[in-house]
Amino acid sequence: MLTNFSTVHSRVSKLRELEQQVVTGETEQMPKKEALRITRELTKLKRNLGGIQDLRKLPDVVFIIDTQKEHIAVTEAQRLGIPIVAVVDTNCDPDIIDHVIPGNDDAIRAAQLLTRVIADAAVEGRQIAQAKGRVEEEAAQQADAEKESQKAEQKAKVPAPPPLDPEEAKRRADEQAKARQEAAAAQKVREERLLEAKEAAKTSTPPKQEEAVKQAEAVKQAEAVKQEEPATQDEAPKPAVADEPDAGNEENG
């Protein structure tokens, strides 16, 4: 389980998901066959992984009752470098155990007693660690508050600038008023220039447009001249042709 913790952790997540579905009543809205399948899977996961349901990461230490029977757990803990606390009987090897507790690992009452003592010690140690963490956090907050108070005191100790003389204050006020007047005049000049530029752009005609207008006027003038020319110039008058005498009249003459 320890060396394959990522896979086991995914199955534990599946166990929590199925439990959430049962608690919220989602299984009651499912078909009976689907709800039965989820219930069977949840029962199987609880039977195999119910003891490590709240295990979010690899343990810092493992407690084993029978090291000979649980030799796989001992091997995995050694491979991962996790300390081992174990009850070692006469038929077990104490050299591979980090913290040995001599005892009978076959007696049920002895195993229950040792397990309860170890569990109580783990809970007490967690409470002590949480209390220590709270104390350290309070100490850090107090240190931060002291630093802030020291900074405030240092700021309060800084002397304030001396007040200005009436003449100096009047001189500065005059300079500021003069600067504001100059800025306003410069802004007004800029606005007038901008307005003049806009009006000039509206009234002026671009060079290309002027050239196009001239070409159009020239074309109109040429067409007008063509229209004024007489139609006789287009069609020249035909020369008059005299009537030829008849051949019979010549013979008679």
Side-chain angles (χ1 to χ4, degrees):
M1 182 192 72
L2 297 177
T3 55
N4 196 22
F5 183 75
S6 59
T7 304
V8 174
H9 186 65
S10 64
R11 299 304 297 167
V12 172
S13 301
K14 182 66 175 178
L15 171 61
R16 297 196 194 98
E17 181 181 351
L18 295 179
E19 284 184 345
Q20 187 67 21
Q21 290 181 359
V22 173
V23 171
T24 56
E26 293 183 13
T27 54
E28 295 179 359
Q29 300 176 359
M30 296 180 181
K32 291 184 178 180
K33 188 175 181 180
E34 184 70 15
L36 182 61
R37 185 187 64 81
I38 291 177
T39 304
R40 289 176 179 175
E41 186 176 1
L42 179 60
T43 303
K44 182 179 179 181
L45 290 174
K46 280 187 176 181
R47 183 175 63 251
N48 296 330
L49 303 175
I52 59 172
Q53 184 175 357
D54 298 329
L55 187 64
R56 307 286 179 174
K57 62 177 184 177
L58 285 173
D60 297 327
V61 64
V62 294
F63 174 69
I64 301 174
I65 291 293
D66 191 349
T67 58
Q68 188 175 5
K69 182 179 180 181
E70 304 293 342
H71 61 92
I72 297 177
V74 175
T75 305
E76 290 183 348
Q78 287 180 338
R79 184 178 300 176
L80 297 175
I82 300 174
I84 302 173
V85 179
V87 178
V88 179
D89 204 348
T90 55
N91 60 345
C92 300
D93 184 8
D95 295 335
I96 59 177
I97 307 302
D98 298 311
H99 305 281
V100 178
I101 301 176
N104 184 7
D105 55 11
D106 296 327
I108 297 176
R109 291 183 180 179
Q112 290 178 350
L113 175 63
L114 292 173
T115 303
R116 184 171 62 254
V117 170
I118 294 295
D120 294 342
V123 172
E124 185 179 358
R126 180 177 295 178
Q127 293 176 354
I128 293 172
Q130 291 177 356
K132 185 178 178 181
R134 286 195 296 269
V135 171
E136 291 178 353
E137 185 177 357
E138 291 176 357
Q141 291 178 357
Q142 186 176 1
D144 294 338
E146 291 178 357
K147 288 182 180 179
E148 293 294 335
S149 62
Q150 291 177 0
K151 290 181 180 179
E153 290 177 359
Q154 291 177 359
K155 289 181 180 179
K157 290 180 181 179
V158 175
L164 297 175
D165 296 335
E167 295 180 357
E168 183 68 17
K170 184 178 179 182
R171 185 181 64 81
R172 292 189 178 182
D174 294 340
E175 290 179 355
Q176 291 178 358
K178 185 178 179 180
R180 286 195 293 270
Q181 291 176 0
E182 291 178 355
Q187 180 66 22
K188 185 176 180 181
V189 171
R190 285 195 296 269
E191 291 178 355
E192 290 177 354
R193 289 180 180 177
L194 182 60
L195 183 60
E196 291 177 358
K198 288 182 178 180
E199 291 178 355
K202 289 180 180 179
T203 56
S204 62
T205 306
K208 293 183 178 179
Q209 188 173 359
E210 290 181 356
E211 186 177 354
V213 171
K214 290 180 180 179
Q215 290 180 0
E217 291 178 355
V219 171
K220 288 182 179 179
Q221 291 177 1
E223 291 179 354
V225 170
K226 287 182 180 180
Q227 290 177 0
E228 290 176 358
E229 290 180 356
T232 56
Q233 294 181 0
D234 296 337
E235 296 179 358
K238 297 181 180 179
V241 179
D243 296 336
E244 295 181 357
D246 295 337
N249 295 332
E250 290 181 355
E251 290 177 358
N252 296 325

